[in-house]
């Protein structure tokens, strides 16, 4: 494949901000290198058993190696790290890449030459978007590779696909959030035209989206209900209770509502309300991709909306 030559506004962006772009690439490589280093460390640690135990295999004691506990701590926060990387991308686009030029007036030099305002903005979206999407995709693949190794142990904890601090680092949502970060950063910069203010508002907006999606993620796809049995291992357990003879659901949490005396026997509390058969609402592991794709679609729709509004603002203010 022939090399792609950077021309015009894109080349200008790369030249002006090459240090920040190199720093971003180095940060992504650091994340990938950390995952690889942790896996190598575990492979060479003093574990005696396949599940990571350092004590006699098959006994009642489980003591993981320091390498494994360190890796689990890092991996259990992979989603949080990915969100923070997205925030950094948004801050870079909002501040140094766009708002600073609007604030100082240096954008006029580019517009006075061959680049139109639309080309100028498109270049400032394309460069960080390409780097962010490619980088987060590779980082997500590396993270999944390292996490899968830890999941081979039945004693691993905090690494469930549904964990709020893990899920954003899996699947396609990491790249989609990176695109949203670029779009929101650009929009804030064009609207506010002040570097520090645009950076701050970008962090608030992206943080709100990340927290909001984390809270509603379980509702993005219909749950399943297991009646008279427990959900399969690896499922995302949500709620449980008992069904009445007519099929009405009575949840355990209703017996622990604020202001109500906690019953000594919660089961009797539910049965007194007509509960007959136990049930659990959950997402099986097979719901991972439907949930991921719905969330990815939401993020991409928000990103497209932000980009459209950004170009509209640019046209209104600068033609």
């Amino acid at each position: 494949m022939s090399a792609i030559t950077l021309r015009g506004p894109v080349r200008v962006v790369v030249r002006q901000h090459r240090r920040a772009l190199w720093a971003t690439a180095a940060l992504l490589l650091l994340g990938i290198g950390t995952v690889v280093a942790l896996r190598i460390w575990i492979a060479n640690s003093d574990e005696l058993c396949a599940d990571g135990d350092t004590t006699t295999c098959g006994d009642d004691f489980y003591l993981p190696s320091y390498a494994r506990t360190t890796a689990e701590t890092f991996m259990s926060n992979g989603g949080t790290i990915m969100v923070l990387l997205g925030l950094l991308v948004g801050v870079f686009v909002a501040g140094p890449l766009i708002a600073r030029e609007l604030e100082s007036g240096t954008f006029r030099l580019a517009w006075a030459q061959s680049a139109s305002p639309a080309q100028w903005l498109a270049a400032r979206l394309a460069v960080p978007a390409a780097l962010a999407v490619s980088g987060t995709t590779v980082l997500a693949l590396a993270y999944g590779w390292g996490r899968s190794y830890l999941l081979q142990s039945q004693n691993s904890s905090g690494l469930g696909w549904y964990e709020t601090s893990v899920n954003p680092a899996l699947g396609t949502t990491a790249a989609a959030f990176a695109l949203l970060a670029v779009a929101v950063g650009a929009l804030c910069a064009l609207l506010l035209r002040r570097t520090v203010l645009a950076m701050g508002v970008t962090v608030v907006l992206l943080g709100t989206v990340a927290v909001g999606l984390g809270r509603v993620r379980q509702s993005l796809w219909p749950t399943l209900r297991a009646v008279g049995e427990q959900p399969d291992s690896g499922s995302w357990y949500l709620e449980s209770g008992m069904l009445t003879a007519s099929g009405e659901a009575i949840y355990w949490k209703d017996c622990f509502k604020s202001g109500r005396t906690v019953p000594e026997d919660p089961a009797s509390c539910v049965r007194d309300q007509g509960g007959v058969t136990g049930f659990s609402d959950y997402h099986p592991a097979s719901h991972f991709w439907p949930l991921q794709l719905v969330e990815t679609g939401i993020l991409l729709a928000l990103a497209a909306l932000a980009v459209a509004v950004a170009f509209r603002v640019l046209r209104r203010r600068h033609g």
Side-chain angles (χ1 to χ4, degrees), residues 238-263:
L238 298 174
E239 298 284 357
S240 65
M242 298 187 76
L243 298 176
T244 64
S246 62
E248 180 184 356
I250 304 173
Y251 293 92
W252 296 112
K253 64 180 181 181
D254 293 334
C255 289
F256 299 91
K257 286 184 177 178
S258 177
R260 172 179 285 185
T261 302
V262 178

Side-chain angles (χ1 to χ4, degrees), residues 218-237:
Q218 65 187 45
S219 304
L220 298 179
W221 195 257
T223 59
L224 297 184
R225 174 166 289 178
V227 179
E229 59 184 10
Q230 293 296 320
D232 297 334
S233 175
S235 297
W236 184 3
Y237 168 85

Side-chain angles (χ1 to χ4, degrees), residues 70-296:
T70 301
E72 286 187 355
T73 300
F74 177 80
M75 294 293 183
S76 64
N77 291 288
T80 303
I81 294 172
M82 199 69 78
V83 170
L84 291 176
L85 287 175
L87 291 176
L88 288 177
V89 170
V91 165
F92 167 67
V93 174
L97 197 62
I98 297 179
R100 183 176 294 171
E101 289 200 29
L102 294 174
E103 189 174 13
S104 62
T106 56
F107 67 93
R108 295 188 181 89
L109 178 61
W111 295 359
Q113 298 174 356
S114 58
S116 66
Q119 291 175 327
W120 174 84
L121 178 58
R124 278 151 181 76
L125 290 172
V127 173
L131 178 60
V133 170
S134 59
T136 52
T137 299
V138 174
L139 184 56
L141 291 173
Y143 174 81
W145 171 73
R147 173 178 168 272
S148 65
Y149 183 78
L150 293 174
L151 289 177
Q152 295 175 8
S153 170
Q154 61 182 359
N155 296 292
S156 61
S157 61
L159 296 174
W161 60 270
Y162 46 82
E163 300 285 353
T164 303
S165 59
V166 171
N167 189 272
L170 303 174
T172 54
T173 56
F177 188 75
L179 282 176
L180 178 63
V182 173
V184 170
L187 178 58
C188 290
L190 289 167
L191 287 173
L192 302 173
R193 301 171 64 88
R194 294 292 181 270
T195 302
V196 176
L197 182 59
M199 293 167 67
V201 173
T202 297
V203 170
V204 171
L205 291 178
L206 291 175
T208 300
V209 171
V211 173
L213 283 175
R215 291 184 175 179
V216 304
R217 185 172 292 128
Q218 65 187 45
S219 304
L220 298 179
W221 195 257
T223 59
L224 297 184
R225 174 166 289 178
V227 179
E229 59 184 10
Q230 293 296 320
D232 297 334
S233 175
S235 297
W236 184 3
Y237 168 85
L238 298 174
E239 298 284 357
S240 65
M242 298 187 76
L243 298 176
T244 64
S246 62
E248 180 184 356
I250 304 173
Y251 293 92
W252 296 112
K253 64 180 181 181
D254 293 334
C255 289
F256 299 91
K257 286 184 177 178
S258 177
R260 172 179 285 185
T261 302
V262 178
E264 294 182 4
D265 182 10
S268 66
C269 171
V270 178
R271 290 194 184 98
D272 289 343
Q273 301 178 60
V276 177
T277 306
F279 74 90
S280 298
D281 292 337
Y282 69 102
H283 283 296
S286 60
H287 282 191
F288 168 75
W289 277 112
L291 287 165
Q292 275 277 310
L293 293 177
V294 171
E295 185 172 348
T296 299

